[in-house]
Amino acid sequence: MTLSKEDQHNDYELMAALAGGDHDALSVLYDKYAGVMLALCRRILRDATEAEQLLLDVFTEIWQRADRYDERRATPLTYLLTLCRSRAIDRCRSRRSKHGKWAVNDFTTDNTMESVMAPGQQPAEAVSSGEQGHLVRQAMKTLTDIQRKVLELAYFDGLSQSEIAEVTGIPLGTVKSHVRMALIQLRQKLRKED
Amino acid sequence: MQCDEVQELIYLEAAGAEDAAARSVIRDHLAKGCVICQAALAEATAAAAQLPLNLPPCPPSESVKKELMRRIKTATPLSQSERTSATPEPKRMPRKLLLWPLVISTSLAAAMFLVAILSLQANENLSREHLKDLTALASLQKSFLRDTARLSQLSHQMHDAVAMEKRKILSLETKLAAAESLKAMIGSPALEMASLHGSSPMRTAWGRVMWNDKMKMWKLCVFNMPHLPNSKTYEVWMITSGGKKMPAGLFNTDYKTQSALVTPAVPPNKHEMAEIAVTIEPAGGSPQPTGAILLAGHIG
Ligand SMILES: [Zn+2]
């Protein structure tokens, strides 16, 4: 996936067309981003069938509530991914509350990027090959293992600051500062490449 | 609550690790209309939204798209149904101030078109004059459409430029606030200073620590210390006269200048502190030093 400036402009136009009820706009947006959004759903839900079901629901919601998108607050891609994450985490939490509390083991092992890849896939090759994917990969490399871990537990596993502290044994204040530093660093790395 | 306290929480919210209390603090603050924190949240959210791009993309099975296209055929977007019902003007337009001129001009063109059609219906003789007018109107409408597209493109570019300026302002404001607090600290007669000296294997390292007990501020400048790889960090220690070592913060030096300006954690019992020191520790820091003391100075 490449995201040039023109691409991003196109995305704004697609979102506007979507709000105007343009079926083709949704189809284009789907072809562009369904892959990364499904990857996100699978990483959070860890269930391929449930992930596809959620992807379908998220795109239906994007279509039905296109009026919610506010271009002053986020780029289209940020909006799509943020909505997708939030719906996936909601679904995961309701599942968790049905099946009881998470166990520490759920997160201390096997929750890294590799565990959601197909067998034989190597992280470096499997990651999205486009320009933006490359930038993000480079930026992620500059984080410490702990920063990356804390960020993943928050973003992909939906743990709150206190849950992260409990699972990792890191003090609450340090969890906060890891999250802050990691996001600042990601932001700076990605901004430098603008 | 102050902006910097809110911004501490904003990163948690962007990563999705905020608790209910943090969420309500942020909501309350943003509801007061703080554009700085709003921009900070937008930026942090955008940074967090990059994380999925690091995942290997999985193409969904074909049936998902088929089902989606089937679903949307029967479901009209809410925005669309609202628009066609009561309100004659699109709901989204008023906030896009830039688009107002073209909204007016397009409506004007449409009105002119309508008048032309009406007059045509009234006058059954389709004279050459009318035909000419219609052709002119059609070409006028075409050029309006072109202008609309161009204006919309300009509005996006402008939007991007404004967002970029906002980011710059935010970063400058942060820098300015830091510089101002440093100036206040250094300018005060309560300022105290001590030198730090390097020891093997970092003999050329040196530093200076400044503190202002009144303002409860500490600053440590270090020089000639190499930038560390991600697996390691420098850790600052406050050491009591009894030899008890307390962790006082982590830092890395700038890659090019091999220096850093650090704000160590203020020790609660400052009068018991005799020494300040720096070691190298594994990333994330240690509760007690595991590496040798590379830089130290007396503060007692
Ligand atoms: Zn604020």
Side-chain angles (χ1 to χ4, degrees), chain A residues 8 29 31 42 58 62 65 92 115 118 123 133 147 154 164 193:
Chain A
Q8 292 194 17
L29 212 60
D31 291 342
R42 284 178 74 155
V58 168
I62 290 166
R65 297 307 313 264
C92 206
S115 66
Q147 283 176 334
I164 295 173
E193 314 292 339

Side-chain angles (χ1 to χ4, degrees), chain A residues 52 63-64 71 132 161 187, chain B residues 17 43 50 61 75 78 159:
Chain A
E52 284 201 334
W63 169 256
Q64 286 182 319
E71 61 179 35
Q132 189 70 10
Q161 43 176 327
R187 192 184 69 191
Chain B
E43 252 200 45
Q50 302 287 327
S61 47
L78 244 79
H159 179 267

Side-chain angles (χ1 to χ4, degrees), chain B residues 250-263:
Chain B
L250 308 178
F251 70 93
N252 198 353
T253 49
D254 181 76
Y255 184 75
K256 281 186 193 144
T257 62
Q258 303 208 323
S259 65
L261 175 62
V262 188
T263 307

Side-chain angles (χ1 to χ4, degrees), chain B residues 129-142:
Chain B
E129 277 308 303
H130 280 123
L131 252 173
K132 236 197 264 167
D133 286 352
L134 267 181
T135 326
L137 269 171
S139 92
L140 208 62
Q141 221 187 9
K142 229 190 217 166

